[in-house]
Amino acid sequence: MIDYTAFISAAHDVLGPRGFTCDADLIDPWLTDWRGRYTGKAIGMASPQSTEQVSQLVRLCAQHGVNIVPQGGNSGMSGGATPDASGTAIILSLRQLNDISPIDPNARQVTCGAGVILQSLHTEAEQHDLRFPLTLGGKGSATIGGLISTNAGGTQVLRHGTMREQVAGIEAVMADGQIYNSLTPLKKDNRGFDLKQLLIGSEGTLGIVTAATLFLSPRIGGRTVLWVGLPKVQNARDLLIMCKDMCGDGLEGFEILPDHCLSAVLDYLPSARNPLSDRHRWYALIEIVAGTDNAEALNDLAESVLAKALESSLIEDGTYSANETQAEAFWLLRDSISPAERAIGPAMQHDISVPVSRMADFIADTVPRVENAFPGTAALAFGHLGDGNVHYHVLAPKGAIGGVWEEEEGKQISIFVHDCVTEWNGSISAEHGIGQMKRDELGRLGDPAALSILRSVKNALDPQGLLNPGKLIPAEPT
Amino acid sequence: MIDYTAFISAAHDVLGPRGFTCDADLIDPWLTDWRGRYTGKAIGMASPQSTEQVSQLVRLCAQHGVNIVPQGGNSGMSGGATPDASGTAIILSLRQLNDISPIDPNARQVTCGAGVILQSLHTEAEQHDLRFPLTLGGKGSATIGGLISTNAGGTQVLRHGTMREQVAGIEAVMADGQIYNSLTPLKKDNRGFDLKQLLIGSEGTLGIVTAATLFLSPRIGGRTVLWVGLPKVQNARDLLIMCKDMCGDGLEGFEILPDHCLSAVLDYLPSARNPLSDRHRWYALIEIVAGTDNAEALNDLAESVLAKALESSLIEDGTYSANETQAEAFWLLRDSISPAERAIGPAMQHDISVPVSRMADFIADTVPRVENAFPGTAALAFGHLGDGNVHYHVLAPKGAIGGVWEEEEGKQISIFVHDCVTEWNGSISAEHGIGQMKRDELGRLGDPAALSILRSVKNALDPQGLLNPGKLIPAEPT
């Protein structure tokens, strides 16, 4: 039996009265994930001020057998930072670890506490004429620790990679309270397998990230955004290859959407305009950047891309942003798809990937299969074609009632979509992680060898199973 | 007790008489590492023809409790592929797994068996107007499996990263014989922590890499190589930053050497010439590449770099290659340092890294300390300054006798150098791995938290300890 009273008293001793609270008013906002899908209970909430305090607290939890749910900005997409309903865990908030070390512009690196908010890092980097390239919708709340623990993606992955590629070094507290520190980053270090790679994407199940050293990129000089209409999704693949050849490293983004998504956005945003004079079956948004602010050269490149794409019949029409306002307007169309679809009615959302070269074919193959299997639904795939990652939404038939439909037909739809993805050698989680939402599906569909390695490493590094229980690692088969 | 007779008979059943041999004539060449430092014994040598055969053999070893030493080209630098003297292991040669799948030029990827030789991959990529950028001295024998298992480096890391960054997906046989397969590579996949990262750099202690999918780069259009003389090593750091700013992604290599190394090479290679009219205390070799064959633009860039470096007094003199023959001649000076030094007499060699920004200061600080502590020696640091990685050789005093000196003063020197590196937050193995050579030093100097994670993961994935015993993972403290 766990002596919670003794644990709470000891936690107060370690963290002080403000560093550990059992006050329901303070804890409640953090017991539900931001999308409102999961709600749990907690013994209390710890808010340590230093890595040393995290270490002491984790030792205490190990002594008492208390579960730990690490939490950053609570803006995850898969319920990975929400405790379960048993009330046997504490929430460990990393939000107080929000120091940003002075930036060394020559090394192009910065060291951040796990609680630093992404937007703050963007601002800090800009002040040194540098850039932290990873960005995503939740940048105003997402923390560096959470981004690392979920290996977050976003819209700039095509050129800059996921969070994994931004990480030079990590500091983390392991399940026994030991502090692992690789914050002094070495470009080359072959003292065995790379331990920081284990922590990236482990969703707090192997250790608790407390700080990281991150790479910074040179500032962007200028950008232009192209908006083109395509007759069929398969053309997007060839267009992507053409853009890579013509733009090289300057190609920052390549997103696609079907006409249904554009319709929904134009209905949802009264001020929005279709960038082209006609409608097309598919659209691609293509961002090209340059290191120097040479608008003319960028415009010339955009013109060449459009001319060649039209000439080779890959696109039916296209335009490019005349200025930054128009570039923002094109991106707004893309970024408004999710809320616009939500306004139409209930939908099942899937964050999936297949090999980049196969994504267009995957969409063309599976959309009619899903719609045939579930009459009245509409399957819409949009997003990061350049990464082989789309958000695959299936809209409920007209008149379906949200919660009920999701629990019944919706669940069957997700199983169907995940089966299709698995058949195409894809991933049921491209960038949102597993959390509690997809844990059973990972157990059902994951490669047995991979699941066995996941479980073995988890048991080795967290033998008591106290770190973020019920997340990511599928239960052992019975 | 292990029944070796039964094991050998079963291995013959699985692999056929040619796939498993106990013939000393066939095995002997593989019992000694190529540098002649380590020699071991083996029960036999297995040469499976397929991943399935590797899996069956590993299951057999697990049943019988037989140790396995995986081996590729046997060109490792740290004795990681040489069995110990106990004669309780088999050598598992991966050299027969040498298929290269057809290259998809659009996906810029290729799938290779673990036994494919690096040079063969270079040739294959070139035939598709592509390039596999990683290269090193042993390219004629080093295999893809060995390069992955040691996370090899080489001369192009500055721009392209180590082997880790070239790997899109891996196939490996785990200690229980299960086959882990991520050869269908996904650009984004967040189904838990990335298992392939565990295998990269694990030197065959966690699993046996049998195949990999690798990224390919666009072909290089042209290159130019600069050779400059510097008054002091600290200038090399500022020169590196200047080159990065001026050349961006075109900066492919940045190597340094002291005048002592140039002297040795000029003595060793009768046909070699000093590229500059005078001698300087330090030299840097800088390679700049371009995607298109625009020699004029490259020459202009080289001129600008030299002009700015002279103007800011970073260099005393400099030149750049007028053609490919001269570029090769400059590289030959760099590549001949090791054999030239070896011709002078015995030396202790160290492959070390510190943060890139601190390498020049590290050299300036430690070279006199080493030479003072061991009178008569000469400490020489040369190599990949752009990666924060140098080869740090300490030459024996005149008249020292090879083997004896290495065992006595030499060992003390290595301890001294490794202590300096640790003091500067560096790594005692930047690119050569740990193998059997540095295992005790890793145990002595490694961070206790990191060592504890290494051991836990090893025990979890190879509970019988059969995979490459005595390599990489330091023994438990007594």
PDB file of all heavy atoms in Angstrom, chain A residues 256-286:
ATOM      1  N   ILE A 256      -0.813  19.752 -49.499  1.00  0.00           N
ATOM      2  CA  ILE A 256      -1.898  19.557 -50.467  1.00  0.00           C
ATOM      3  C   ILE A 256      -3.250  19.592 -49.765  1.00  0.00           C
ATOM      4  O   ILE A 256      -3.344  19.358 -48.553  1.00  0.00           O
ATOM      5  CB  ILE A 256      -1.778  18.212 -51.209  1.00  0.00           C
ATOM      6  CG1 ILE A 256      -1.792  17.046 -50.201  1.00  0.00           C
ATOM      7  CG2 ILE A 256      -0.550  18.176 -52.086  1.00  0.00           C
ATOM      8  CD1 ILE A 256      -2.120  15.711 -50.843  1.00  0.00           C
ATOM      9  N   LEU A 257      -4.306  19.892 -50.534  1.00  0.00           N
ATOM     10  CA  LEU A 257      -5.674  19.793 -50.017  1.00  0.00           C
ATOM     11  C   LEU A 257      -6.630  19.532 -51.175  1.00  0.00           C
ATOM     12  O   LEU A 257      -6.394  20.010 -52.290  1.00  0.00           O
ATOM     13  CB  LEU A 257      -6.089  21.054 -49.249  1.00  0.00           C
ATOM     14  CG  LEU A 257      -6.060  22.400 -49.975  1.00  0.00           C
ATOM     15  CD1 LEU A 257      -7.047  23.359 -49.310  1.00  0.00           C
ATOM     16  CD2 LEU A 257      -4.675  22.987 -49.954  1.00  0.00           C
ATOM     17  N   PRO A 258      -7.697  18.779 -50.923  1.00  0.00           N
ATOM     18  CA  PRO A 258      -8.706  18.567 -51.953  1.00  0.00           C
ATOM     19  C   PRO A 258      -9.678  19.753 -51.978  1.00  0.00           C
ATOM     20  O   PRO A 258      -9.726  20.545 -51.027  1.00  0.00           O
ATOM     21  CB  PRO A 258      -9.415  17.291 -51.499  1.00  0.00           C
ATOM     22  CG  PRO A 258      -9.255  17.273 -50.021  1.00  0.00           C
ATOM     23  CD  PRO A 258      -7.967  17.994 -49.706  1.00  0.00           C
ATOM     24  N   ASP A 259     -10.456  19.848 -53.061  1.00  0.00           N
ATOM     25  CA  ASP A 259     -11.373  20.983 -53.210  1.00  0.00           C
ATOM     26  C   ASP A 259     -12.385  21.055 -52.062  1.00  0.00           C
ATOM     27  O   ASP A 259     -12.797  22.145 -51.661  1.00  0.00           O
ATOM     28  CB  ASP A 259     -12.101  20.881 -54.559  1.00  0.00           C
ATOM     29  CG  ASP A 259     -12.859  22.167 -54.877  1.00  0.00           C
ATOM     30  OD1 ASP A 259     -12.247  23.249 -54.748  1.00  0.00           O
ATOM     31  OD2 ASP A 259     -14.049  22.088 -55.236  1.00  0.00           O
ATOM     32  N   HIS A 260     -12.777  19.903 -51.535  1.00  0.00           N
ATOM     33  CA  HIS A 260     -13.722  19.888 -50.410  1.00  0.00           C
ATOM     34  C   HIS A 260     -13.201  20.728 -49.250  1.00  0.00           C
ATOM     35  O   HIS A 260     -13.965  21.462 -48.605  1.00  0.00           O
ATOM     36  CB  HIS A 260     -13.944  18.435 -49.968  1.00  0.00           C
ATOM     37  CG  HIS A 260     -15.043  18.261 -48.967  1.00  0.00           C
ATOM     38  ND1 HIS A 260     -14.996  18.764 -47.680  1.00  0.00           N
ATOM     39  CD2 HIS A 260     -16.238  17.643 -49.067  1.00  0.00           C
ATOM     40  CE1 HIS A 260     -16.104  18.440 -47.033  1.00  0.00           C
ATOM     41  NE2 HIS A 260     -16.884  17.772 -47.849  1.00  0.00           N
ATOM     42  N   CYS A 261     -11.904  20.646 -48.982  1.00  0.00           N
ATOM     43  CA  CYS A 261     -11.316  21.431 -47.878  1.00  0.00           C
ATOM     44  C   CYS A 261     -11.355  22.927 -48.198  1.00  0.00           C
ATOM     45  O   CYS A 261     -11.663  23.743 -47.326  1.00  0.00           O
ATOM     46  CB  CYS A 261      -9.877  21.004 -47.613  1.00  0.00           C
ATOM     47  SG  CYS A 261      -9.722  19.363 -46.894  1.00  0.00           S
ATOM     48  N   LEU A 262     -11.049  23.279 -49.445  1.00  0.00           N
ATOM     49  CA  LEU A 262     -11.097  24.704 -49.810  1.00  0.00           C
ATOM     50  C   LEU A 262     -12.523  25.237 -49.658  1.00  0.00           C
ATOM     51  O   LEU A 262     -12.729  26.326 -49.104  1.00  0.00           O
ATOM     52  CB  LEU A 262     -10.596  24.914 -51.244  1.00  0.00           C
ATOM     53  CG  LEU A 262     -10.600  26.383 -51.707  1.00  0.00           C
ATOM     54  CD1 LEU A 262      -9.650  27.244 -50.875  1.00  0.00           C
ATOM     55  CD2 LEU A 262     -10.241  26.497 -53.189  1.00  0.00           C
ATOM     56  N   SER A 263     -13.515  24.471 -50.123  1.00  0.00           N
ATOM     57  CA  SER A 263     -14.923  24.855 -49.954  1.00  0.00           C
ATOM     58  C   SER A 263     -15.240  25.136 -48.492  1.00  0.00           C
ATOM     59  O   SER A 263     -15.833  26.160 -48.153  1.00  0.00           O
ATOM     60  CB  SER A 263     -15.857  23.716 -50.388  1.00  0.00           C
ATOM     61  OG  SER A 263     -15.954  23.662 -51.758  1.00  0.00           O
ATOM     62  N   ALA A 264     -14.837  24.189 -47.648  1.00  0.00           N
ATOM     63  CA  ALA A 264     -15.157  24.323 -46.222  1.00  0.00           C
ATOM     64  C   ALA A 264     -14.522  25.590 -45.659  1.00  0.00           C
ATOM     65  O   ALA A 264     -15.154  26.332 -44.883  1.00  0.00           O
ATOM     66  CB  ALA A 264     -14.662  23.093 -45.460  1.00  0.00           C
ATOM     67  N   VAL A 265     -13.274  25.871 -46.062  1.00  0.00           N
ATOM     68  CA  VAL A 265     -12.586  27.051 -45.536  1.00  0.00           C
ATOM     69  C   VAL A 265     -13.242  28.326 -46.057  1.00  0.00           C
ATOM     70  O   VAL A 265     -13.435  29.292 -45.296  1.00  0.00           O
ATOM     71  CB  VAL A 265     -11.084  27.012 -45.915  1.00  0.00           C
ATOM     72  CG1 VAL A 265     -10.409  28.335 -45.567  1.00  0.00           C
ATOM     73  CG2 VAL A 265     -10.393  25.860 -45.192  1.00  0.00           C
ATOM     74  N   LEU A 266     -13.615  28.354 -47.329  1.00  0.00           N
ATOM     75  CA  LEU A 266     -14.248  29.561 -47.885  1.00  0.00           C
ATOM     76  C   LEU A 266     -15.602  29.821 -47.213  1.00  0.00           C
ATOM     77  O   LEU A 266     -15.988  30.977 -47.006  1.00  0.00           O
ATOM     78  CB  LEU A 266     -14.398  29.432 -49.409  1.00  0.00           C
ATOM     79  CG  LEU A 266     -13.076  29.371 -50.198  1.00  0.00           C
ATOM     80  CD1 LEU A 266     -13.330  29.161 -51.688  1.00  0.00           C
ATOM     81  CD2 LEU A 266     -12.226  30.633 -49.970  1.00  0.00           C
ATOM     82  N   ASP A 267     -16.312  28.759 -46.845  1.00  0.00           N
ATOM     83  CA  ASP A 267     -17.565  28.939 -46.096  1.00  0.00           C
ATOM     84  C   ASP A 267     -17.296  29.446 -44.688  1.00  0.00           C
ATOM     85  O   ASP A 267     -18.065  30.226 -44.132  1.00  0.00           O
ATOM     86  CB  ASP A 267     -18.327  27.598 -45.979  1.00  0.00           C
ATOM     87  CG  ASP A 267     -18.913  27.170 -47.314  1.00  0.00           C
ATOM     88  OD1 ASP A 267     -18.968  28.018 -48.224  1.00  0.00           O
ATOM     89  OD2 ASP A 267     -19.287  25.986 -47.438  1.00  0.00           O
ATOM     90  N   TYR A 268     -16.198  28.964 -44.120  1.00  0.00           N
ATOM     91  CA  TYR A 268     -15.908  29.224 -42.698  1.00  0.00           C
ATOM     92  C   TYR A 268     -15.322  30.613 -42.491  1.00  0.00           C
ATOM     93  O   TYR A 268     -15.605  31.277 -41.489  1.00  0.00           O
ATOM     94  CB  TYR A 268     -14.924  28.143 -42.234  1.00  0.00           C
ATOM     95  CG  TYR A 268     -14.445  28.252 -40.807  1.00  0.00           C
ATOM     96  CD1 TYR A 268     -15.287  27.939 -39.723  1.00  0.00           C
ATOM     97  CD2 TYR A 268     -13.133  28.634 -40.530  1.00  0.00           C
ATOM     98  CE1 TYR A 268     -14.823  28.010 -38.427  1.00  0.00           C
ATOM     99  CE2 TYR A 268     -12.664  28.712 -39.225  1.00  0.00           C
ATOM    100  CZ  TYR A 268     -13.515  28.397 -38.179  1.00  0.00           C
ATOM    101  OH  TYR A 268     -13.060  28.464 -36.892  1.00  0.00           O
ATOM    102  N   LEU A 269     -14.492  31.059 -43.426  1.00  0.00           N
ATOM    103  CA  LEU A 269     -13.844  32.374 -43.313  1.00  0.00           C
ATOM    104  C   LEU A 269     -14.476  33.322 -44.341  1.00  0.00           C
ATOM    105  O   LEU A 269     -14.109  33.289 -45.523  1.00  0.00           O
ATOM    106  CB  LEU A 269     -12.349  32.272 -43.632  1.00  0.00           C
ATOM    107  CG  LEU A 269     -11.445  31.499 -42.704  1.00  0.00           C
ATOM    108  CD1 LEU A 269     -10.016  31.517 -43.273  1.00  0.00           C
ATOM    109  CD2 LEU A 269     -11.433  32.084 -41.298  1.00  0.00           C
ATOM    110  N   PRO A 270     -15.359  34.182 -43.911  1.00  0.00           N
ATOM    111  CA  PRO A 270     -16.059  35.029 -44.875  1.00  0.00           C
ATOM    112  C   PRO A 270     -15.109  35.909 -45.691  1.00  0.00           C
ATOM    113  O   PRO A 270     -15.382  36.215 -46.855  1.00  0.00           O
ATOM    114  CB  PRO A 270     -16.966  35.895 -43.991  1.00  0.00           C
ATOM    115  CG  PRO A 270     -17.000  35.230 -42.653  1.00  0.00           C
ATOM    116  CD  PRO A 270     -15.764  34.418 -42.527  1.00  0.00           C
ATOM    117  N   SER A 271     -13.983  36.279 -45.108  1.00  0.00           N
ATOM    118  CA  SER A 271     -13.089  37.198 -45.816  1.00  0.00           C
ATOM    119  C   SER A 271     -12.143  36.477 -46.773  1.00  0.00           C
ATOM    120  O   SER A 271     -11.427  37.117 -47.543  1.00  0.00           O
ATOM    121  CB  SER A 271     -12.266  37.989 -44.802  1.00  0.00           C
ATOM    122  OG  SER A 271     -11.479  37.088 -44.050  1.00  0.00           O
ATOM    123  N   ALA A 272     -12.111  35.137 -46.731  1.00  0.00           N
ATOM    124  CA  ALA A 272     -11.134  34.406 -47.540  1.00  0.00           C
ATOM    125  C   ALA A 272     -11.548  34.360 -49.006  1.00  0.00           C
ATOM    126  O   ALA A 272     -12.742  34.359 -49.323  1.00  0.00           O
ATOM    127  CB  ALA A 272     -10.974  32.991 -46.996  1.00  0.00           C
ATOM    128  N   ARG A 273     -10.535  34.327 -49.894  1.00  0.00           N
ATOM    129  CA  ARG A 273     -10.804  34.262 -51.328  1.00  0.00           C
ATOM    130  C   ARG A 273     -10.060  33.086 -51.931  1.00  0.00           C
ATOM    131  O   ARG A 273      -8.955  32.747 -51.515  1.00  0.00           O
ATOM    132  CB  ARG A 273     -10.319  35.548 -52.000  1.00  0.00           C
ATOM    133  CG  ARG A 273     -11.230  36.749 -51.778  1.00  0.00           C
ATOM    134  CD  ARG A 273     -10.699  37.953 -52.555  1.00  0.00           C
ATOM    135  NE  ARG A 273     -10.396  37.557 -53.946  1.00  0.00           N
ATOM    136  CZ  ARG A 273      -9.221  37.765 -54.544  1.00  0.00           C
ATOM    137  NH1 ARG A 273      -8.231  38.352 -53.917  1.00  0.00           N
ATOM    138  NH2 ARG A 273      -9.029  37.379 -55.801  1.00  0.00           N
ATOM    139  N   ASN A 274     -10.683  32.489 -52.941  1.00  0.00           N
ATOM    140  CA  ASN A 274     -10.016  31.471 -53.750  1.00  0.00           C
ATOM    141  C   ASN A 274      -8.883  32.156 -54.524  1.00  0.00           C
ATOM    142  O   ASN A 274      -9.134  33.091 -55.280  1.00  0.00           O
ATOM    143  CB  ASN A 274     -11.042  30.867 -54.715  1.00  0.00           C
ATOM    144  CG  ASN A 274     -10.411  29.870 -55.685  1.00  0.00           C
ATOM    145  OD1 ASN A 274      -9.235  29.537 -55.565  1.00  0.00           O
ATOM    146  ND2 ASN A 274     -11.215  29.414 -56.646  1.00  0.00           N
ATOM    147  N   PRO A 275      -7.633  31.722 -54.344  1.00  0.00           N
ATOM    148  CA  PRO A 275      -6.520  32.410 -55.030  1.00  0.00           C
ATOM    149  C   PRO A 275      -6.585  32.288 -56.549  1.00  0.00           C
ATOM    150  O   PRO A 275      -5.938  33.074 -57.240  1.00  0.00           O
ATOM    151  CB  PRO A 275      -5.277  31.693 -54.491  1.00  0.00           C
ATOM    152  CG  PRO A 275      -5.718  31.030 -53.233  1.00  0.00           C
ATOM    153  CD  PRO A 275      -7.153  30.679 -53.425  1.00  0.00           C
ATOM    154  N   LEU A 276      -7.296  31.292 -57.075  1.00  0.00           N
ATOM    155  CA  LEU A 276      -7.355  31.095 -58.526  1.00  0.00           C
ATOM    156  C   LEU A 276      -8.752  31.440 -59.030  1.00  0.00           C
ATOM    157  O   LEU A 276      -9.714  31.482 -58.254  1.00  0.00           O
ATOM    158  CB  LEU A 276      -7.013  29.637 -58.869  1.00  0.00           C
ATOM    159  CG  LEU A 276      -5.645  29.155 -58.358  1.00  0.00           C
ATOM    160  CD1 LEU A 276      -5.463  27.671 -58.622  1.00  0.00           C
ATOM    161  CD2 LEU A 276      -4.512  29.959 -59.001  1.00  0.00           C
ATOM    162  N   SER A 277      -8.886  31.641 -60.356  1.00  0.00           N
ATOM    163  CA  SER A 277     -10.194  32.065 -60.875  1.00  0.00           C
ATOM    164  C   SER A 277     -11.175  30.893 -60.947  1.00  0.00           C
ATOM    165  O   SER A 277     -12.381  31.083 -60.814  1.00  0.00           O
ATOM    166  CB  SER A 277     -10.015  32.709 -62.249  1.00  0.00           C
ATOM    167  OG  SER A 277      -9.192  31.893 -63.041  1.00  0.00           O
ATOM    168  N   ASP A 278     -10.649  29.666 -61.136  1.00  0.00           N
ATOM    169  CA  ASP A 278     -11.553  28.514 -61.190  1.00  0.00           C
ATOM    170  C   ASP A 278     -11.312  27.590 -60.004  1.00  0.00           C
ATOM    171  O   ASP A 278     -10.404  27.806 -59.216  1.00  0.00           O
ATOM    172  CB  ASP A 278     -11.320  27.740 -62.496  1.00  0.00           C
ATOM    173  CG  ASP A 278     -11.832  28.521 -63.693  1.00  0.00           C
ATOM    174  OD1 ASP A 278     -12.912  29.134 -63.571  1.00  0.00           O
ATOM    175  OD2 ASP A 278     -11.120  28.526 -64.724  1.00  0.00           O
ATOM    176  N   ARG A 279     -12.119  26.539 -59.952  1.00  0.00           N
ATOM    177  CA  ARG A 279     -11.923  25.516 -58.929  1.00  0.00           C
ATOM    178  C   ARG A 279     -11.256  24.295 -59.583  1.00  0.00           C
ATOM    179  O   ARG A 279     -11.426  24.052 -60.793  1.00  0.00           O
ATOM    180  CB  ARG A 279     -13.270  25.120 -58.312  1.00  0.00           C
ATOM    181  CG  ARG A 279     -13.952  26.284 -57.589  1.00  0.00           C
ATOM    182  CD  ARG A 279     -13.195  26.641 -56.307  1.00  0.00           C
ATOM    183  NE  ARG A 279     -13.580  25.773 -55.234  1.00  0.00           N
ATOM    184  CZ  ARG A 279     -14.585  26.027 -54.383  1.00  0.00           C
ATOM    185  NH1 ARG A 279     -15.249  27.163 -54.470  1.00  0.00           N
ATOM    186  NH2 ARG A 279     -14.905  25.174 -53.437  1.00  0.00           N
ATOM    187  N   HIS A 280     -10.481  23.549 -58.779  1.00  0.00           N
ATOM    188  CA  HIS A 280      -9.768  22.378 -59.279  1.00  0.00           C
ATOM    189  C   HIS A 280      -9.983  21.237 -58.298  1.00  0.00           C
ATOM    190  O   HIS A 280     -10.413  21.460 -57.158  1.00  0.00           O
ATOM    191  CB  HIS A 280      -8.277  22.695 -59.433  1.00  0.00           C
ATOM    192  CG  HIS A 280      -8.042  23.899 -60.299  1.00  0.00           C
ATOM    193  ND1 HIS A 280      -7.844  23.828 -61.654  1.00  0.00           N
ATOM    194  CD2 HIS A 280      -8.036  25.226 -59.985  1.00  0.00           C
ATOM    195  CE1 HIS A 280      -7.709  25.047 -62.141  1.00  0.00           C
ATOM    196  NE2 HIS A 280      -7.826  25.919 -61.149  1.00  0.00           N
ATOM    197  N   ARG A 281      -9.675  20.032 -58.700  1.00  0.00           N
ATOM    198  CA  ARG A 281      -9.940  18.900 -57.792  1.00  0.00           C
ATOM    199  C   ARG A 281      -8.984  18.923 -56.594  1.00  0.00           C
ATOM    200  O   ARG A 281      -9.356  18.588 -55.483  1.00  0.00           O
ATOM    201  CB  ARG A 281      -9.838  17.574 -58.547  1.00  0.00           C
ATOM    202  CG  ARG A 281     -11.004  17.449 -59.561  1.00  0.00           C
ATOM    203  CD  ARG A 281     -11.135  16.048 -60.097  1.00  0.00           C
ATOM    204  NE  ARG A 281     -11.399  15.075 -59.032  1.00  0.00           N
ATOM    205  CZ  ARG A 281     -11.303  13.762 -59.202  1.00  0.00           C
ATOM    206  NH1 ARG A 281     -10.929  13.265 -60.359  1.00  0.00           N
ATOM    207  NH2 ARG A 281     -11.550  12.936 -58.202  1.00  0.00           N
ATOM    208  N   TRP A 282      -7.743  19.302 -56.815  1.00  0.00           N
ATOM    209  CA  TRP A 282      -6.742  19.357 -55.750  1.00  0.00           C
ATOM    210  C   TRP A 282      -5.949  20.658 -55.842  1.00  0.00           C
ATOM    211  O   TRP A 282      -5.843  21.248 -56.925  1.00  0.00           O
ATOM    212  CB  TRP A 282      -5.757  18.176 -55.863  1.00  0.00           C
ATOM    213  CG  TRP A 282      -6.367  16.890 -55.403  1.00  0.00           C
ATOM    214  CD1 TRP A 282      -7.123  16.031 -56.154  1.00  0.00           C
ATOM    215  CD2 TRP A 282      -6.290  16.329 -54.094  1.00  0.00           C
ATOM    216  NE1 TRP A 282      -7.525  14.965 -55.382  1.00  0.00           N
ATOM    217  CE2 TRP A 282      -7.031  15.113 -54.110  1.00  0.00           C
ATOM    218  CE3 TRP A 282      -5.673  16.716 -52.902  1.00  0.00           C
ATOM    219  CZ2 TRP A 282      -7.156  14.306 -52.981  1.00  0.00           C
ATOM    220  CZ3 TRP A 282      -5.796  15.897 -51.780  1.00  0.00           C
ATOM    221  CH2 TRP A 282      -6.538  14.714 -51.827  1.00  0.00           C
ATOM    222  N   TYR A 283      -5.377  21.044 -54.713  1.00  0.00           N
ATOM    223  CA  TYR A 283      -4.503  22.224 -54.672  1.00  0.00           C
ATOM    224  C   TYR A 283      -3.200  21.846 -53.963  1.00  0.00           C
ATOM    225  O   TYR A 283      -3.177  20.955 -53.108  1.00  0.00           O
ATOM    226  CB  TYR A 283      -5.163  23.383 -53.922  1.00  0.00           C
ATOM    227  CG  TYR A 283      -6.524  23.727 -54.471  1.00  0.00           C
ATOM    228  CD1 TYR A 283      -7.670  23.202 -53.898  1.00  0.00           C
ATOM    229  CD2 TYR A 283      -6.652  24.543 -55.603  1.00  0.00           C
ATOM    230  CE1 TYR A 283      -8.925  23.469 -54.435  1.00  0.00           C
ATOM    231  CE2 TYR A 283      -7.900  24.824 -56.137  1.00  0.00           C
ATOM    232  CZ  TYR A 283      -9.040  24.280 -55.551  1.00  0.00           C
ATOM    233  OH  TYR A 283     -10.264  24.544 -56.088  1.00  0.00           O
ATOM    234  N   ALA A 284      -2.149  22.540 -54.322  1.00  0.00           N
ATOM    235  CA  ALA A 284      -0.908  22.424 -53.554  1.00  0.00           C
ATOM    236  C   ALA A 284      -0.457  23.820 -53.150  1.00  0.00           C
ATOM    237  O   ALA A 284      -0.588  24.770 -53.926  1.00  0.00           O
ATOM    238  CB  ALA A 284       0.182  21.737 -54.379  1.00  0.00           C
ATOM    239  N   LEU A 285       0.022  23.925 -51.922  1.00  0.00           N
ATOM    240  CA  LEU A 285       0.646  25.156 -51.437  1.00  0.00           C
ATOM    241  C   LEU A 285       2.133  24.862 -51.309  1.00  0.00           C
ATOM    242  O   LEU A 285       2.533  23.893 -50.652  1.00  0.00           O
ATOM    243  CB  LEU A 285       0.038  25.538 -50.080  1.00  0.00           C
ATOM    244  CG  LEU A 285       0.611  26.780 -49.393  1.00  0.00           C
ATOM    245  CD1 LEU A 285      -0.430  27.346 -48.410  1.00  0.00           C
ATOM    246  CD2 LEU A 285       1.879  26.458 -48.607  1.00  0.00           C
ATOM    247  N   ILE A 286       2.941  25.669 -51.950  1.00  0.00           N
ATOM    248  CA  ILE A 286       4.384  25.410 -52.011  1.00  0.00           C
ATOM    249  C   ILE A 286       5.122  26.640 -51.494  1.00  0.00           C
ATOM    250  O   ILE A 286       4.903  27.741 -52.004  1.00  0.00           O
ATOM    251  CB  ILE A 286       4.813  25.119 -53.466  1.00  0.00           C
ATOM    252  CG1 ILE A 286       3.995  23.945 -54.027  1.00  0.00           C
ATOM    253  CG2 ILE A 286       6.310  24.827 -53.558  1.00  0.00           C
ATOM    254  CD1 ILE A 286       3.957  23.896 -55.545  1.00  0.00           C
TER     255      ILE A 286
END
